[in-house]
Amino acid sequence: MWPTDPTALELNINQKERPLSWKQQTFLADSAMGAPVYRRVKSLLACNLAFRTAGNHNGIKPWLKPAFISKQRLPLPSQSTVLARSYCQHTAQKGLVFRQMFEPISSTYTYLLADCETREAVLIDPVLEEVERDAKLVKELGLRLLYAANTHCHADHITGTGLLKKVVPGCRSIISKDSGAKADITIQEGDRIEFGRFHLEARATPGHTDGCMTFVLNDHSLAFTGDALLIRGCGRTDFQQGSATRLYKSVHEKIFTLPEWCIVYPAHDYKGMTMSTVDEERRLNPRLTKSMEEFVIIMSNLNLPKPTHIDTAVPANLVCGIQGD
Amino acid sequence: MWPTDPTALELNINQKERPLSWKQQTFLADSAMGAPVYRRVKSLLACNLAFRTAGNHNGIKPWLKPAFISKQRLPLPSQSTVLARSYCQHTAQKGLVFRQMFEPISSTYTYLLADCETREAVLIDPVLEEVERDAKLVKELGLRLLYAANTHCHADHITGTGLLKKVVPGCRSIISKDSGAKADITIQEGDRIEFGRFHLEARATPGHTDGCMTFVLNDHSLAFTGDALLIRGCGRTDFQQGSATRLYKSVHEKIFTLPEWCIVYPAHDYKGMTMSTVDEERRLNPRLTKSMEEFVIIMSNLNLPKPTHIDTAVPANLVCGIQGD
């Protein structure tokens, strides 16, 4: 949603020294992203919001001036600017409950999303050892857990989805069809996981495994990237149908094409970081900013040890975890 | 800021069975919290936003009807409702950069806050071992780190403030005067840590230690509670001038008096939880929902082991950590 404060559009076309406010930069960032400026301005006019302009604008009404004219002599928006505009915007304005939880042994993040109005909730990537914690939080927040979804068939931990189905009656497990794993619901590219007024769009992002999915919130503000894209990293591609070229394409075609302000929530982080953005990873990811050829070489030279729990985790995850029976 | 979607004010005064939307509940929650409803409505009218009302409103215009009239027969907002309205609201609308980071050895959370416009930033409770990570993020986000502030003199890890001063020129350390520790700036109850258009209000919350501070964002949307209030817990009170009665009073008088939707970001969590709210802790904290007498008994029976690193951490933290010289 566009900021409704009229001062947000104080463009100061003639400014040279004074730095742009974040709102001003955001306006230009939107323009640079290809959003039709005129359409946005038109909708603002319809809202009867006042425009304030300053200085000489060369005879062009600032609100109809194409963004590229002024953009050339203005600093490009940094990702922190972009971040500020979008961070949890949907949450505040649309009634989304959101929680991030951490499991320290496999450094896995579990995410809880829910609609405040309907109380319908989804858990992404729950971990077996933390099922009690997650189920307790769902209860404390007065939510109705519809689904426990895995971004992929994990190799480093056993999913909590099987046990959650027992602990939380009515909860159904979800995984991609391409994973080859069993679940109550198997999904494919373009399918939607609906909870109340929200949904997660499933995007197939294979490469770490064949069945990797990225779940994108309907307004494209949040992307749960699983092991496809990590913060300044990515999932390994040396087992479980791994393919560096497929992963490279998946990230570039399905994740980096999301809005730059889309927040990236991965399945893991090993350095204590909790989130990133599409913009940050496009600019700063040390692997995925390289060419595909360089990426393939990097991935083939990682020489990572075999995951400790792969021999127990994968068979269990192929049947959606421990069933609790 | 009030939601600008006109449907947010569709109050449905006469409804009996149909559940309230989160927006409707939020409206009443605001009213119940003592916010002057009329003032809010007036500002909305000034924005030329349309009001939509439904049903019989007993001759009272819904937008001027005192909240308590309808509040009696409507369900109270739950904490998940409250959460949804406020979560990161300020971030989206006011240009605050916010990041939470985790240090796994002492399970410490470090927080980065910054103003997108001025780029001025503050770090809360940085950890020595993670200084490189934190400084890198500050640089990547294009921020200017003004302060590295400690909520208190930690006993479980060495603060990163001393080293940050060396690594990030211009950064100054902050701690409370009552901590007895040295820093570039010592603060007291009511002091402000300013960064750009934002500030953190320092609230003295002693009990875990004499010098414990809770830092509250100027709009009361976020509270960095240090070890005074943890998620479903609190800091121990059996060393370093600890006092269960002081801690109980601090939390009840200085933190539980914040708005119920205020997000609680503690210095630690040992179960992988990342945040809570004032409402949740008021209702669900197993220690602080008890009477003071019961709380004192609970705290005196914890029988916790001595922190592993206390003998090295406290002396180092009394001089603001490793100075890097």
Side-chain angles (χ1 to χ4, degrees), chain B residues 14 19 57 118 139 153 187-188 199 218 224 248 302:
Chain B
N14 255 9
H57 40 68
T118 67
K139 191 178 176 186
C153 181
I187 55 173
Q188 290 179 290
H199 70 258
N218 45 281
F224 302 91
Y248 190 89
L302 292 180

Side-chain angles (χ1 to χ4, degrees), chain A residues 153-165:
Chain A
C153 182
H154 302 276
D156 58 342
H157 68 273
I158 297 176
T159 175
T161 49
L163 188 55
L164 270 165
K165 287 175 55 183

Side-chain angles (χ1 to χ4, degrees), chain A residues 1 4 78-80 84 87-88 91 93 99-102 116 119 133 140-141 232 271-272 274 280, chain B residues 1 4 22 78-80 84 88 91 99-102 116 119 133 140-141 232 271-272 274 280:
Chain A
M1 199 174 119
T4 51
S78 78
Q79 96 296 348
S80 56
Y87 186 58
C88 291
T91 310
Q93 294 175 341
R99 291 291 172 100
Q100 181 179 30
M101 280 92 72
F102 185 65
C116 275
R119 298 287 195 261
R133 175 198 66 185
E140 285 178 346
L141 297 181
R232 314 290 192 264
K271 293 179 181 175
T274 57
E280 272 180 56
Chain B
M1 199 174 116
T4 50
W22 72 276
S78 78
Q79 95 295 350
S80 56
C88 292
T91 310
R99 292 289 173 103
Q100 181 178 32
M101 282 92 72
F102 185 63
C116 275
R119 298 286 196 260
R133 175 197 67 185
E140 286 178 346
L141 297 181
R232 314 290 192 264
K271 293 179 180 175
T274 57
E280 273 181 55

Side-chain angles (χ1 to χ4, degrees), chain B:
Chain B
M1 199 174 116
W2 190 251
T4 50
D5 176 2
T7 61
L9 296 178
E10 189 175 357
L11 282 175
N12 294 313
I13 297 297
N14 255 9
Q15 70 180 6
K16 282 170 186 163
E17 299 300 326
R18 188 180 150 199
L20 287 185
S21 75
W22 72 276
K23 289 172 179 172
Q24 292 161 355
Q25 292 189 35
T26 301
F27 182 86
L28 296 167
D30 277 336
S31 311
M33 285 164 56
V37 174
Y38 177 69
R39 183 175 54 74
R40 288 170 182 269
V41 171
K42 191 176 169 190
S43 68
L44 280 165
L45 286 169
C47 292
N48 296 323
L49 289 170
F51 278 54
R52 288 203 288 156
T53 60
N56 168 24
H57 40 68
N58 304 321
I60 302 173
K61 287 177 180 159
W63 55 86
L64 294 177
K65 190 173 181 178
F68 62 84
I69 294 179
S70 53
K71 201 186 66 164
Q72 294 171 15
R73 51 193 167 107
L74 297 172
L76 284 173
S78 78
Q79 95 295 350
S80 56
T81 299
V82 170
L83 171 63
R85 188 179 72 85
S86 57
Y87 186 56
C88 292
Q89 192 169 15
H90 61 284
T91 310
Q93 295 175 341
K94 296 179 185 171
L96 183 82
V97 173
F98 177 72
R99 292 289 173 103
Q100 181 178 32
M101 282 92 72
F102 185 63
E103 190 283 315
I105 299 167
S106 59
S107 296
T108 301
Y109 283 121
T110 297
Y111 301 94
L112 174 67
L113 294 93
D115 181 334
C116 275
E117 189 171 312
T118 67
R119 298 286 196 260
E120 291 172 345
V122 178
L123 270 170
I124 297 174
D125 286 337
V127 177
L128 179 64
E129 287 78 4
E130 300 291 356
V131 162
E132 187 180 339
R133 175 197 67 185
D134 300 347
K136 188 180 175 197
L137 183 64
V138 165
K139 191 178 176 186
E140 286 178 346
L141 297 181
L143 305 175
R144 189 158 54 94
L145 187 64
L146 299 185
Y147 307 112
N150 283 299
T151 52
H152 63 293
C153 181
H154 301 277
D156 59 342
H157 67 275
I158 296 176
T159 176
T161 49
L163 188 55
L164 270 164
K165 287 174 57 183
K166 186 177 171 73
V167 174
V168 184
C171 170
R172 288 185 293 172
S173 58
I174 296 179
I175 201 164
S176 75
K177 189 178 178 185
D178 290 340
S179 70
K182 287 182 184 174
D184 294 327
I185 302 165
T186 52
I187 55 173
Q188 290 179 290
E189 167 81 22
D191 285 346
R192 292 179 172 191
I193 302 171
E194 296 186 346
F195 56 106
R197 298 161 296 164
F198 303 95
H199 70 258
L200 292 166
E201 171 196 334
R203 295 189 175 200
T205 48
H208 170 63
T209 72
D210 263 0
C212 283
M213 284 275 184
T214 289
F215 299 136
V216 181
L217 193 68
N218 45 281
D219 65 359
H220 289 191
S221 60
L222 309 179
F224 302 91
T225 55
D227 282 12
L229 178 62
L230 304 178
I231 299 170
R232 314 290 192 264
C234 63
R236 61 197 290 177
T237 54
D238 56 342
F239 60 73
Q240 262 190 307
Q241 318 99 34
S243 160
T245 53
R246 289 190 83 187
L247 180 58
Y248 190 89
K249 284 181 189 171
S250 290
V251 173
H252 278 265
E253 292 171 8
K254 300 287 182 64
I255 301 174
F256 282 1
T257 50
L258 285 164
E260 61 188 347
W261 38 263
C262 175
I263 297 177
V264 170
Y265 281 118
H268 305 281
D269 191 80
Y270 306 97
K271 293 179 180 175
M273 304 297 290
T274 57
M275 55 159 280
S276 184
T277 64
V278 165
D279 173 79
E280 273 181 55
E281 296 310 317
R282 272 191 211 149
R283 293 188 302 108
L284 301 166
N285 191 296
R287 298 177 185 173
L288 286 150
T289 46
K290 301 286 194 298
S291 69
M292 188 193 283
E293 292 70 28
E294 289 172 301
F295 179 74
V296 170
I297 292 168
I298 290 168
M299 295 308 287
S300 62
N301 289 319
L302 292 180
N303 299 318
L304 296 169
K306 183 180 167 185
T308 313
H309 304 292
I310 189 169
D311 294 331
T312 49
V314 170
N317 290 336
L318 283 170
V319 291
C320 212
I322 307 299
Q323 301 302 306
D325 295 324

Side-chain angles (χ1 to χ4, degrees), chain A residues 98-255:
Chain A
F98 177 72
R99 291 291 172 100
Q100 181 179 30
M101 280 92 72
F102 185 65
E103 190 282 314
I105 297 166
S106 59
S107 297
T108 301
Y109 284 121
T110 298
Y111 301 95
L112 175 67
L113 293 93
D115 181 335
C116 275
E117 189 171 312
T118 68
R119 298 287 195 261
E120 291 172 346
V122 178
L123 269 171
I124 298 174
D125 286 336
V127 178
L128 179 64
E129 287 78 4
E130 300 292 355
V131 162
E132 187 181 340
R133 175 198 66 185
D134 300 347
K136 188 180 175 197
L137 183 64
V138 165
K139 191 177 177 187
E140 285 178 346
L141 297 181
L143 305 175
R144 188 158 56 91
L145 188 64
L146 298 186
Y147 308 112
N150 282 300
T151 51
H152 63 292
C153 182
H154 302 276
D156 58 342
H157 68 273
I158 297 176
T159 175
T161 49
L163 188 55
L164 270 165
K165 287 175 55 183
K166 186 176 170 72
V167 174
V168 184
C171 171
R172 289 185 293 172
S173 57
I174 295 179
I175 201 163
S176 74
K177 190 178 178 186
D178 291 340
S179 70
K182 288 183 183 173
D184 295 327
I185 302 166
T186 51
I187 54 173
Q188 290 178 288
E189 168 80 22
D191 284 347
R192 291 178 172 191
I193 302 171
E194 296 188 344
F195 57 106
R197 298 160 297 163
F198 302 95
H199 70 258
L200 292 166
E201 171 196 333
R203 296 189 173 200
T205 48
H208 170 63
T209 73
D210 264 0
C212 283
M213 284 275 183
T214 289
F215 299 136
V216 181
L217 193 67
N218 46 280
D219 65 358
H220 290 191
S221 59
L222 308 179
F224 302 92
T225 55
D227 282 11
L229 178 62
L230 305 177
I231 300 171
R232 314 290 192 264
C234 63
R236 62 197 290 176
T237 55
D238 56 343
F239 60 73
Q240 264 190 306
Q241 317 99 36
S243 160
T245 53
R246 289 191 83 188
L247 181 58
Y248 190 90
K249 283 180 189 170
S250 289
V251 173
H252 278 264
E253 291 171 9
K254 300 287 183 66
I255 301 174

